[in-house]
Amino acid sequence: MSIRNKLTKEIAKIVRAGLRLTNRKATSLPGYVAYKLDKNILNELSKNTKFIFVTGTNGKTMTTHFLVNILKQRYDKVYTNESGSNMVQGIITTLLDNPAKEETIAVLEVDEANLVRIGQYIKPEYVIFTNIFRDQMDRFGEIYNIFAKLMEGMAVMPDAKIVANGDLPIFNYDQMKNYNKTYFAIRDYKNASDDYNLDAEINSDGILCPHCHHVLKYKLNNYSSLGDYACPNCDFKTPNIDYSIDKLIKLDANYSEFMVGDELYEVNVGGLYNVYNALAALSVSKELGLSYEEIYEGLRSQKNVFGRQENINVEGKNVTINLVKNPTGLNQIIDLMLLEENPVSLICLLNDNYADGTDVSWIYDSYYENLAKLDIKDIYVSGIRKKDMKRRLEIAEIFNDDIKEFDYETEIYDIIKNSKADNIYILSTYTAMLRLREVLGL
């Protein structure tokens, strides 16, 4: 390590220590400072380390946590960007304590657009592709732009093996043929058709055949465009699946149980989307040669992480915080909420900062109307675009009384305390969620 590398590393650590002393988040700024001082610092911080990248639209954070928890069953030290700070500066911060002369392992959540930047410095052994859905239209555009960014990233690390969601058609496009890959999928056929005659969920993206542009048909549609698909006009169809869930035994609000072959697994988080995340982590773990017992325990003992069905007690109320950022993710959370049998209070926080996506039209592509099935006692909206959020919920006609606006940074405790239900669901975009957790002292 050069004198410049050492000095840069120490300065970044001092910045991190200063932030922690003042009870501030030390996830990005130390890495930002280090990168400004030394553009090649990642080269030095990544020596003797086996890397696994996790990228895609939804599920990056939860997949990363699942995989880290599994790896901890075997490895004493596993590095990861726990906060979900998945751009260059966040990853530099994560690796500041990585010893240069020891062999270590790291699981890094990597932003789709930054895969090419990180890949120039770090060469992973595996890259997990969770999914691609329409997200942050101002930044990414359509899903094909996101896919192009992933392929651009893979071009600088061609030796990495892709572990991809085989239920998503776009991950079977011809561009994937250039890479070593393996696929995972959910193939519980109890609700399937006898033939490929089902349509994808309404408003799904990426359901045109890339060869002849006919609309794909499904034998099994799990949600959105995910499932066992085939083109009715040519030979484009689902790839061979290497790791599959063959039976979904139980899907509750806070628990899931499933079979992979003759192996039983359980996770203490709810939602089919989280079953996909668990399967992605399981697939890489099997690639690395971990045992059934290690994978089982790693999945079983993983709890919800910040903003992902995060459950806390505030003012004697049961509060569940969920990050929402695009239609597909929100629709899955709404489906999970529909398992709630008790009355609820609903709080929606909508921001349009850069990290959220400045285009909030996606709220009109989400199924807020389905929330009418819940016994909603009151609804509150806040955030930079609270008026837009209020209007969307009014259009959904899920509540007969007034939807109230408030300032979540100063009034959240009062709102929770005075809410009419003991079970409160908070649906929040990214920057609002981060600030909310600070206000709540989380």
Side-chain angles (χ1 to χ4, degrees), residues 22 24 46 60 78 117 122 228 266 284 378 381 419 425 431:
T22 56
R24 296 170 65 189
S46 61
K60 294 187 291 292
V78 183
R117 291 181 66 194
I122 298 175
D228 184 354
E266 56 183 296
V284 174
D378 44 6
V381 295
S419 60
Y425 283 88
T431 61

Side-chain angles (χ1 to χ4, degrees), residues 308-323:
R308 280 78 176 177
Q309 293 173 242
E310 184 176 15
N311 193 265
I312 58 175
N313 185 282
V314 180
E315 299 288 347
K317 303 292 182 74
N318 181 47
V319 179
T320 302
I321 304 173
N322 273 305
L323 170 67

Side-chain angles (χ1 to χ4, degrees), residues 213-363:
H213 307 298
H214 278 70
V215 177
L216 299 176
K217 291 291 187 176
Y218 287 76
K219 184 175 184 179
L220 171 70
N221 179 227
N222 292 318
Y223 69 85
S224 188
S225 57
L226 295 171
D228 184 354
Y229 60 86
C231 177
N233 188 61
C234 71
D235 61 356
F236 181 74
K237 62 179 182 179
T238 297
N240 292 326
I241 302 301
D242 303 286
Y243 303 102
S244 67
I245 289 176
D246 306 300
K247 186 176 182 181
L248 294 165
I249 299 174
K250 195 168 187 178
L251 290 174
D252 285 347
N254 298 297
Y255 179 82
S256 302
E257 197 172 284
F258 54 86
M259 299 290 295
V260 176
D262 59 357
E263 296 176 347
L264 173 67
Y265 294 94
E266 56 183 296
V267 292
N268 288 303
V269 294
L272 188 59
Y273 60 98
N274 274 323
V275 174
Y276 270 108
N277 297 334
L279 179 59
L282 178 153
S283 302
V284 174
S285 300
K286 284 186 173 290
E287 288 281 316
L288 292 170
L290 274 76
S291 68
Y292 165 71
E293 291 76 16
E294 290 169 328
I295 299 172
Y296 175 87
E297 181 58 27
L299 291 178
R300 186 198 64 80
S301 60
Q302 176 60 52
K303 305 298 183 183
N304 289 316
V305 298
F306 65 98
R308 280 78 176 177
Q309 293 173 242
E310 184 176 15
N311 193 265
I312 58 175
N313 185 282
V314 180
E315 299 288 347
K317 303 292 182 74
N318 181 47
V319 179
T320 302
I321 304 173
N322 273 305
L323 170 67
V324 295
K325 60 175 186 169
N326 55 50
T328 300
L330 175 56
N331 291 339
Q332 283 295 294
I333 290 169
I334 288 173
D335 284 347
L336 195 60
M337 289 173 62
L338 296 182
L339 297 173
E340 178 63 67
E341 298 177 353
N342 298 309
V344 303
S345 293
L346 177 63
I347 299 174
C348 295
L349 312 181
L350 181 64
N351 276 359
D352 63 350
N353 293 313
Y354 175 76
D356 305 297
T358 58
D359 180 355
V360 299
S361 63
W362 62 270
I363 62 176

Side-chain angles (χ1 to χ4, degrees), residues 198-213:
L198 300 177
D199 293 322
E201 198 172 71
I202 192 169
N203 284 340
S204 294
D205 295 304
I207 56 172
L208 293 181
C209 174
H211 298 157
C212 67
H213 307 298

Side-chain angles (χ1 to χ4, degrees), residues 424-442:
I424 301 170
Y425 283 88
I426 300 179
L427 304 181
S428 175
T429 50
Y430 183 69
T431 61
M433 183 199 73
L434 293 183
R435 180 58 185 146
L436 174 69
R437 296 185 82 258
E438 290 179 359
V439 172
L440 294 176
L442 300 176

